[in-house]
Amino acid sequence: MSKKFASQGDMAEKKISFTEIGKDLWAFTAEGDPNTGVIIGDDSVMIVEAQATPELANKVIEKVRSVTDKPISHLVLTHYHAVRVLGAAAYKAPTIIMSQKARSMVVERGAEDRESEFMRFPRLFMGYDDIAKVPPLTWPTTTFNDRMTVYLGKRRVDLRFVGRAHTAGDIVIHVPDANVMFTGDIVEYHSACYCGDGHFNDWPGTLEAIRSFDVEAIAPGRGDALVGKDMVNKALDATADFVTSTYKPVARIAQGGGSLKEAWDACRAECDPKFADYAIYEHCLPFNVARAYDEALGIDTPRIWTAQRDADMWAQLQG
Ligand SMILES: [Zn+2]
């Protein structure tokens, strides 16, 4: 029996939650779908992560308008993935910020990723029956290398690159006055980490860099808002466990001369008992194993996923 490709079998609508995770800081979450963060400053609002389409972004905007009528001045994108960025136009934010590395990944692989993610997530792209109608690539107006500070009136917001993880260009957003962080897909909660563009050997260290902030709350990339240090630490531990439990068995097989299929079996043996009930687990697995296998063999830059490579890998491993 072959499984439906990626998330093509996941068409049931998710329940949206809008949670205050610190003073005037909100997390828009939806049962494992991509999250969006909201930072309300003295006279304007910063949005963190755009959503896949303007239609989904409008659901975020509706929630924002239930708590503030201040204008949206900034949109921050933690990384380049299509389901995070293609809804950008809806916010009409004058300033769109990415790391310079994330922008370079839009240049290098944004078009391929747009097509690939369109095929992987039909529910997120609901209403679009043709890739030609999907919004074009999102480009930042502003980039930075390691750190940047934005002042929303008196409220300070720090954008930081703290290490490679889910991609080479992920950033985190820290609001010091509340000690709250928005981590994008570096941290997930009860959701699989997508590692197809990942850096497994760097990821645990990046999680420790986040832990060193000792934050009160995190809005993760997917899954519920993490409020309180207990939940924050649990999610950091579980994310590190997911990444390590994926990589180690695959690396052992790859470095011992074994096949991708053998690596797949070894990864499943380790991960299924712990993570099979996580959101998008089966979806992520072939991409995660393929990337772990490459990294273990010394390929530092993840190979670009295309709609065709996606389908081939799926047939080989999940088919
Ligand atoms: Zn991502």
Side-chain angles (χ1 to χ4, degrees):
M1 193 189 79
S2 68
K3 293 195 185 75
K4 277 203 174 171
F5 171 70
S7 288
Q8 288 183 355
D10 172 15
M11 297 302 286
E13 196 169 343
K14 299 286 187 271
K15 185 176 172 293
I16 292 168
S17 300
F18 195 58
T19 311
E20 190 165 27
I21 60 173
K23 190 182 179 328
D24 292 329
L25 301 169
W26 295 81
F28 176 100
T29 66
E31 298 186 313
D33 274 359
N35 294 340
T36 288
V38 179
I39 300 170
I40 304 174
D42 294 324
D43 36 42
S44 72
V45 177
M46 174 186 283
I47 301 289
V48 178
E49 312 286 46
Q51 298 282 327
T53 64
E55 288 74 15
L56 287 171
N58 283 334
K59 295 187 181 191
V60 174
I61 293 168
E62 197 179 301
K63 291 293 185 190
V64 172
R65 290 297 161 238
S66 73
V67 294
T68 180
D69 55 9
K70 293 173 186 172
I72 295 170
S73 55
H74 296 77
L75 171 62
V76 176
L77 303 166
T78 65
H79 64 290
Y80 86 101
H81 281 148
V83 298
R84 300 279 165 191
V85 306
L86 296 184
Y91 302 96
K92 300 185 173 70
T95 303
I96 302 177
I97 307 173
M98 272 185 199
S99 72
Q100 182 58 32
K101 182 65 194 175
R103 186 185 186 281
S104 77
M105 294 182 82
V106 180
V107 174
E108 176 188 60
R109 57 184 71 204
E112 290 85 348
D113 176 72
R114 173 174 167 273
E115 194 178 341
S116 158
E117 296 206 49
F118 171 67
M119 296 301 291
R120 291 179 187 186
F121 293 105
R123 182 166 46 74
L124 297 181
F125 288 98
M126 197 170 299
Y128 295 85
D129 53 4
D130 183 344
I131 182 73
K133 295 175 190 160
V134 170
L137 296 177
T138 299
W139 297 98
T141 61
T142 304
T143 65
F144 65 99
N145 286 321
D146 289 335
R147 65 161 70 196
M148 166 176 189
T149 297
V150 174
Y151 291 92
L152 301 172
K154 287 200 186 77
R155 179 159 241 183
R156 174 180 174 143
V157 182
D158 291 328
L159 318 184
R160 300 276 301 266
F161 175 78
V162 293
R164 301 192 301 184
H166 166 77
T167 72
D170 304 88
I171 58 159
V172 299
I173 295 85
H174 182 235
V175 182
D177 66 40
N179 199 18
V180 164
M181 191 179 273
F182 300 81
T183 63
D185 285 320
I186 302 173
V187 180
E188 311 289 19
Y189 185 68
H190 273 277
S191 170
C193 300
Y194 173 71
C195 313
D197 284 323
H199 294 274
F200 286 96
N201 282 294
D202 294 0
W203 201 323
T206 302
L207 290 167
E208 288 313 305
I210 289 171
R211 198 192 300 271
S212 73
F213 283 78
D214 198 24
V215 292
E216 301 292 337
I218 281 179
R222 290 174 180 268
D224 295 347
L226 308 165
V227 179
K229 291 185 181 180
D230 202 43
M231 256 190 108
V232 165
N233 282 309
K234 269 190 195 141
L236 291 171
D237 291 343
T239 302
D241 189 25
F242 185 95
V243 169
T244 306
S245 299
T246 301
Y247 183 68
K248 278 199 170 153
V250 173
R252 178 167 45 79
I253 299 289
Q255 290 164 359
S259 69
L260 186 63
K261 185 72 176 159
E262 288 167 331
W264 165 261
D265 290 338
C267 182
R268 289 211 84 119
E270 177 77 22
C271 291
D272 283 7
K274 289 195 272 195
F275 309 118
D277 65 336
Y278 277 24
I280 63 167
Y281 175 72
E282 293 291 340
H283 167 141
C284 290
L285 211 51
F287 309 111
N288 292 358
V289 170
R291 170 58 194 148
Y293 193 89
D294 279 356
E295 184 171 328
L297 295 180
I299 298 174
D300 187 58
T301 301
R303 286 192 274 154
I304 294 175
W305 290 99
T306 63
Q308 187 59 49
R309 184 176 170 227
D310 278 16
D312 293 346
M313 188 62 64
W314 192 268
Q316 192 182 342
L317 294 176
Q318 281 282 37

